[in-house]
Amino acid sequence: MADGAGWSTIESDEGVFTSLIENLGVKGVQFEELISLDADTIRSLSPVYGVIFLFKWIGGQSRDCSTPVDGTYDQHAATENGLFFAAQTIQNACGTQAILSVILNHDTPASGTPVPIEIGNELSSFKSFTQGFPSDLLGEALSNSEAIRTAHNAFARASPFVDETQRTSQDEDGDVYHFIAYTPVNGKLYELDGLQPFPISHGACDSDSFPEKVIEVLQRRIARYPAGEVRFNLMAAVRDLRHRAQEIGDVELLEREKSKRKAWAWENSLRRCNFVGFIGETLKGVVDQKVQQGQYDEWIETAKKETRRRAEARKGF
């Protein structure tokens, strides 16, 4: 269980999300970023287990509200129908929590999933242990899972200056972003938001109607934001596209997906590296060289002039 360490912020990135669940033992699933908000794009990736929506948090609703802004609370979905729904009890975990809200609701045929997800031993044990927990206790169990937290923090941005597990009053005044999940389970479209008291039902929905239904819900949600707000991100949890390529004999798709995986692995390896020390040593070497050549003062003055020039250019002078 937990050792008291916190949860760091992770990026909304298809390679990060895919590698995170694979590190937890999930097989046969990947995430794809959706660059257009239309049903055909989602349908082209079928089977789709659900989507993860990242948006700027604007508040206006607490866990004590009796009615959500859109949809209806389903107070029995988790307690009586077995829906996995965890309350968000700590900061920075909402990304992984939204991911698990999709993955852990599609591991059995009973959910109506065309191809059930193989979630692996770690998540199977966690789900079995927490079966029947109320949402608050389930959220505490998730946030105190060392295995899940370790997999999550493996993709945190390396920084020697910022502890992302701590928030200051200045942080609270800035923009806050939140992840939630939309997924079809047991014949309904559910919005799973750990900041809400219950799962939110958006009516009848199965895997076939999910693309159209979820786009309608997302469009209504986005319409509540001020005109011009574009800070949204949407990820689809889909069956591993390499499997599809192999089944239909699409060599081009298979090679493209293999190349994508290599790029993800490279990008994720960079995320684990802290380059500040390297940069610092490089700068010290350059400074020493300028001093030895007697060019240090001239170099500094040139840099100051260039900085002022760029500042003036940004102001439109």
mmCIF file with all atom_site columns, all heavy atoms in Angstrom, residues 132-145:
data_model
loop_
_atom_site.group_PDB
_atom_site.id
_atom_site.type_symbol
_atom_site.label_atom_id
_atom_site.label_alt_id
_atom_site.label_comp_id
_atom_site.label_asym_id
_atom_site.label_entity_id
_atom_site.label_seq_id
_atom_site.pdbx_PDB_ins_code
_atom_site.Cartn_x
_atom_site.Cartn_y
_atom_site.Cartn_z
_atom_site.occupancy
_atom_site.B_iso_or_equiv
_atom_site.pdbx_formal_charge
_atom_site.auth_seq_id
_atom_site.auth_comp_id
_atom_site.auth_asym_id
_atom_site.auth_atom_id
_atom_site.pdbx_PDB_model_num
ATOM 1  N N   . GLY A 1 132 ? -17.711 -3.942 -4.056 1.00 0.00 ? 132 GLY A N   1
ATOM 2  C CA  . GLY A 1 132 ? -18.697 -3.605 -3.041 1.00 0.00 ? 132 GLY A CA  1
ATOM 3  C C   . GLY A 1 132 ? -18.364 -2.376 -2.227 1.00 0.00 ? 132 GLY A C   1
ATOM 4  O O   . GLY A 1 132 ? -19.183 -1.921 -1.419 1.00 0.00 ? 132 GLY A O   1
ATOM 5  N N   . PHE A 1 133 ? -17.166 -1.782 -2.436 1.00 0.00 ? 133 PHE A N   1
ATOM 6  C CA  . PHE A 1 133 ? -16.804 -0.566 -1.711 1.00 0.00 ? 133 PHE A CA  1
ATOM 7  C C   . PHE A 1 133 ? -17.686 0.598  -2.173 1.00 0.00 ? 133 PHE A C   1
ATOM 8  O O   . PHE A 1 133 ? -17.966 0.728  -3.364 1.00 0.00 ? 133 PHE A O   1
ATOM 9  C CB  . PHE A 1 133 ? -15.347 -0.182 -1.974 1.00 0.00 ? 133 PHE A CB  1
ATOM 10 C CG  . PHE A 1 133 ? -14.328 -0.964 -1.202 1.00 0.00 ? 133 PHE A CG  1
ATOM 11 C CD1 . PHE A 1 133 ? -14.640 -2.187 -0.613 1.00 0.00 ? 133 PHE A CD1 1
ATOM 12 C CD2 . PHE A 1 133 ? -13.022 -0.489 -1.050 1.00 0.00 ? 133 PHE A CD2 1
ATOM 13 C CE1 . PHE A 1 133 ? -13.690 -2.910 0.082  1.00 0.00 ? 133 PHE A CE1 1
ATOM 14 C CE2 . PHE A 1 133 ? -12.072 -1.203 -0.360 1.00 0.00 ? 133 PHE A CE2 1
ATOM 15 C CZ  . PHE A 1 133 ? -12.408 -2.418 0.214  1.00 0.00 ? 133 PHE A CZ  1
ATOM 16 N N   . PRO A 1 134 ? -18.125 1.475  -1.265 1.00 0.00 ? 134 PRO A N   1
ATOM 17 C CA  . PRO A 1 134 ? -18.769 2.714  -1.699 1.00 0.00 ? 134 PRO A CA  1
ATOM 18 C C   . PRO A 1 134 ? -17.756 3.587  -2.431 1.00 0.00 ? 134 PRO A C   1
ATOM 19 O O   . PRO A 1 134 ? -16.542 3.394  -2.304 1.00 0.00 ? 134 PRO A O   1
ATOM 20 C CB  . PRO A 1 134 ? -19.234 3.354  -0.391 1.00 0.00 ? 134 PRO A CB  1
ATOM 21 C CG  . PRO A 1 134 ? -18.346 2.775  0.655  1.00 0.00 ? 134 PRO A CG  1
ATOM 22 C CD  . PRO A 1 134 ? -18.041 1.371  0.202  1.00 0.00 ? 134 PRO A CD  1
ATOM 23 N N   . SER A 1 135 ? -18.242 4.566  -3.205 1.00 0.00 ? 135 SER A N   1
ATOM 24 C CA  . SER A 1 135 ? -17.345 5.342  -4.078 1.00 0.00 ? 135 SER A CA  1
ATOM 25 C C   . SER A 1 135 ? -16.243 6.061  -3.312 1.00 0.00 ? 135 SER A C   1
ATOM 26 O O   . SER A 1 135 ? -15.098 6.130  -3.781 1.00 0.00 ? 135 SER A O   1
ATOM 27 C CB  . SER A 1 135 ? -18.161 6.352  -4.893 1.00 0.00 ? 135 SER A CB  1
ATOM 28 O OG  . SER A 1 135 ? -18.830 7.275  -4.036 1.00 0.00 ? 135 SER A OG  1
ATOM 29 N N   . ASP A 1 136 ? -16.553 6.605  -2.130 1.00 0.00 ? 136 ASP A N   1
ATOM 30 C CA  . ASP A 1 136 ? -15.524 7.313  -1.359 1.00 0.00 ? 136 ASP A CA  1
ATOM 31 C C   . ASP A 1 136 ? -14.413 6.363  -0.919 1.00 0.00 ? 136 ASP A C   1
ATOM 32 O O   . ASP A 1 136 ? -13.225 6.685  -1.039 1.00 0.00 ? 136 ASP A O   1
ATOM 33 C CB  . ASP A 1 136 ? -16.144 7.993  -0.135 1.00 0.00 ? 136 ASP A CB  1
ATOM 34 C CG  . ASP A 1 136 ? -16.966 9.212  -0.501 1.00 0.00 ? 136 ASP A CG  1
ATOM 35 O OD1 . ASP A 1 136 ? -16.866 9.661  -1.661 1.00 0.00 ? 136 ASP A OD1 1
ATOM 36 O OD2 . ASP A 1 136 ? -17.716 9.712  0.352  1.00 0.00 ? 136 ASP A OD2 1
ATOM 37 N N   . LEU A 1 137 ? -14.798 5.189  -0.425 1.00 0.00 ? 137 LEU A N   1
ATOM 38 C CA  . LEU A 1 137 ? -13.806 4.225  0.032  1.00 0.00 ? 137 LEU A CA  1
ATOM 39 C C   . LEU A 1 137 ? -13.025 3.660  -1.145 1.00 0.00 ? 137 LEU A C   1
ATOM 40 O O   . LEU A 1 137 ? -11.815 3.416  -1.044 1.00 0.00 ? 137 LEU A O   1
ATOM 41 C CB  . LEU A 1 137 ? -14.487 3.097  0.808  1.00 0.00 ? 137 LEU A CB  1
ATOM 42 C CG  . LEU A 1 137 ? -13.562 2.050  1.444  1.00 0.00 ? 137 LEU A CG  1
ATOM 43 C CD1 . LEU A 1 137 ? -12.547 2.726  2.365  1.00 0.00 ? 137 LEU A CD1 1
ATOM 44 C CD2 . LEU A 1 137 ? -14.381 1.014  2.210  1.00 0.00 ? 137 LEU A CD2 1
ATOM 45 N N   . LEU A 1 138 ? -13.701 3.479  -2.291 1.00 0.00 ? 138 LEU A N   1
ATOM 46 C CA  . LEU A 1 138 ? -13.023 3.003  -3.496 1.00 0.00 ? 138 LEU A CA  1
ATOM 47 C C   . LEU A 1 138 ? -11.995 4.031  -3.968 1.00 0.00 ? 138 LEU A C   1
ATOM 48 O O   . LEU A 1 138 ? -10.890 3.676  -4.388 1.00 0.00 ? 138 LEU A O   1
ATOM 49 C CB  . LEU A 1 138 ? -14.043 2.721  -4.600 1.00 0.00 ? 138 LEU A CB  1
ATOM 50 C CG  . LEU A 1 138 ? -13.508 2.204  -5.936 1.00 0.00 ? 138 LEU A CG  1
ATOM 51 C CD1 . LEU A 1 138 ? -12.646 0.970  -5.744 1.00 0.00 ? 138 LEU A CD1 1
ATOM 52 C CD2 . LEU A 1 138 ? -14.659 1.911  -6.881 1.00 0.00 ? 138 LEU A CD2 1
ATOM 53 N N   . GLY A 1 139 ? -12.360 5.309  -3.888 1.00 0.00 ? 139 GLY A N   1
ATOM 54 C CA  . GLY A 1 139 ? -11.419 6.366  -4.245 1.00 0.00 ? 139 GLY A CA  1
ATOM 55 C C   . GLY A 1 139 ? -10.207 6.378  -3.341 1.00 0.00 ? 139 GLY A C   1
ATOM 56 O O   . GLY A 1 139 ? -9.073  6.580  -3.802 1.00 0.00 ? 139 GLY A O   1
ATOM 57 N N   . GLU A 1 140 ? -10.417 6.149  -2.048 1.00 0.00 ? 140 GLU A N   1
ATOM 58 C CA  . GLU A 1 140 ? -9.295  6.084  -1.105 1.00 0.00 ? 140 GLU A CA  1
ATOM 59 C C   . GLU A 1 140 ? -8.406  4.893  -1.415 1.00 0.00 ? 140 GLU A C   1
ATOM 60 O O   . GLU A 1 140 ? -7.166  4.994  -1.377 1.00 0.00 ? 140 GLU A O   1
ATOM 61 C CB  . GLU A 1 140 ? -9.820  5.986  0.330  1.00 0.00 ? 140 GLU A CB  1
ATOM 62 C CG  . GLU A 1 140 ? -10.461 7.260  0.855  1.00 0.00 ? 140 GLU A CG  1
ATOM 63 C CD  . GLU A 1 140 ? -9.443  8.363  1.104  1.00 0.00 ? 140 GLU A CD  1
ATOM 64 O OE1 . GLU A 1 140 ? -8.223  8.065  1.110  1.00 0.00 ? 140 GLU A OE1 1
ATOM 65 O OE2 . GLU A 1 140 ? -9.843  9.517  1.286  1.00 0.00 ? 140 GLU A OE2 1
ATOM 66 N N   . ALA A 1 141 ? -9.027  3.756  -1.740 1.00 0.00 ? 141 ALA A N   1
ATOM 67 C CA  . ALA A 1 141 ? -8.251  2.563  -2.069 1.00 0.00 ? 141 ALA A CA  1
ATOM 68 C C   . ALA A 1 141 ? -7.418  2.780  -3.322 1.00 0.00 ? 141 ALA A C   1
ATOM 69 O O   . ALA A 1 141 ? -6.253  2.365  -3.394 1.00 0.00 ? 141 ALA A O   1
ATOM 70 C CB  . ALA A 1 141 ? -9.189  1.364  -2.252 1.00 0.00 ? 141 ALA A CB  1
ATOM 71 N N   . LEU A 1 142 ? -7.999  3.442  -4.310 1.00 0.00 ? 142 LEU A N   1
ATOM 72 C CA  . LEU A 1 142 ? -7.277  3.714  -5.552 1.00 0.00 ? 142 LEU A CA  1
ATOM 73 C C   . LEU A 1 142 ? -6.098  4.656  -5.289 1.00 0.00 ? 142 LEU A C   1
ATOM 74 O O   . LEU A 1 142 ? -4.977  4.406  -5.736 1.00 0.00 ? 142 LEU A O   1
ATOM 75 C CB  . LEU A 1 142 ? -8.228  4.322  -6.575 1.00 0.00 ? 142 LEU A CB  1
ATOM 76 C CG  . LEU A 1 142 ? -7.761  4.424  -8.023 1.00 0.00 ? 142 LEU A CG  1
ATOM 77 C CD1 . LEU A 1 142 ? -8.982  4.517  -8.957 1.00 0.00 ? 142 LEU A CD1 1
ATOM 78 C CD2 . LEU A 1 142 ? -6.884  5.622  -8.269 1.00 0.00 ? 142 LEU A CD2 1
ATOM 79 N N   . SER A 1 143 ? -6.355  5.717  -4.540 1.00 0.00 ? 143 SER A N   1
ATOM 80 C CA  . SER A 1 143 ? -5.293  6.703  -4.298 1.00 0.00 ? 143 SER A CA  1
ATOM 81 C C   . SER A 1 143 ? -4.184  6.144  -3.422 1.00 0.00 ? 143 SER A C   1
ATOM 82 O O   . SER A 1 143 ? -3.063  6.644  -3.444 1.00 0.00 ? 143 SER A O   1
ATOM 83 C CB  . SER A 1 143 ? -5.881  7.963  -3.656 1.00 0.00 ? 143 SER A CB  1
ATOM 84 O OG  . SER A 1 143 ? -6.415  7.686  -2.372 1.00 0.00 ? 143 SER A OG  1
ATOM 85 N N   . ASN A 1 144 ? -4.473  5.080  -2.659 1.00 0.00 ? 144 ASN A N   1
ATOM 86 C CA  . ASN A 1 144 ? -3.468  4.471  -1.798 1.00 0.00 ? 144 ASN A CA  1
ATOM 87 C C   . ASN A 1 144 ? -2.854  3.215  -2.402 1.00 0.00 ? 144 ASN A C   1
ATOM 88 O O   . ASN A 1 144 ? -2.070  2.531  -1.726 1.00 0.00 ? 144 ASN A O   1
ATOM 89 C CB  . ASN A 1 144 ? -4.080  4.134  -0.436 1.00 0.00 ? 144 ASN A CB  1
ATOM 90 C CG  . ASN A 1 144 ? -4.263  5.360  0.433  1.00 0.00 ? 144 ASN A CG  1
ATOM 91 O OD1 . ASN A 1 144 ? -3.309  6.023  0.810  1.00 0.00 ? 144 ASN A OD1 1
ATOM 92 N ND2 . ASN A 1 144 ? -5.509  5.688  0.731  1.00 0.00 ? 144 ASN A ND2 1
ATOM 93 N N   . SER A 1 145 ? -3.195  2.920  -3.653 1.00 0.00 ? 145 SER A N   1
ATOM 94 C CA  . SER A 1 145 ? -2.596  1.765  -4.315 1.00 0.00 ? 145 SER A CA  1
ATOM 95 C C   . SER A 1 145 ? -1.189  2.131  -4.778 1.00 0.00 ? 145 SER A C   1
ATOM 96 O O   . SER A 1 145 ? -1.016  2.982  -5.654 1.00 0.00 ? 145 SER A O   1
ATOM 97 C CB  . SER A 1 145 ? -3.446  1.328  -5.513 1.00 0.00 ? 145 SER A CB  1
ATOM 98 O OG  . SER A 1 145 ? -2.747  0.405  -6.313 1.00 0.00 ? 145 SER A OG  1
#
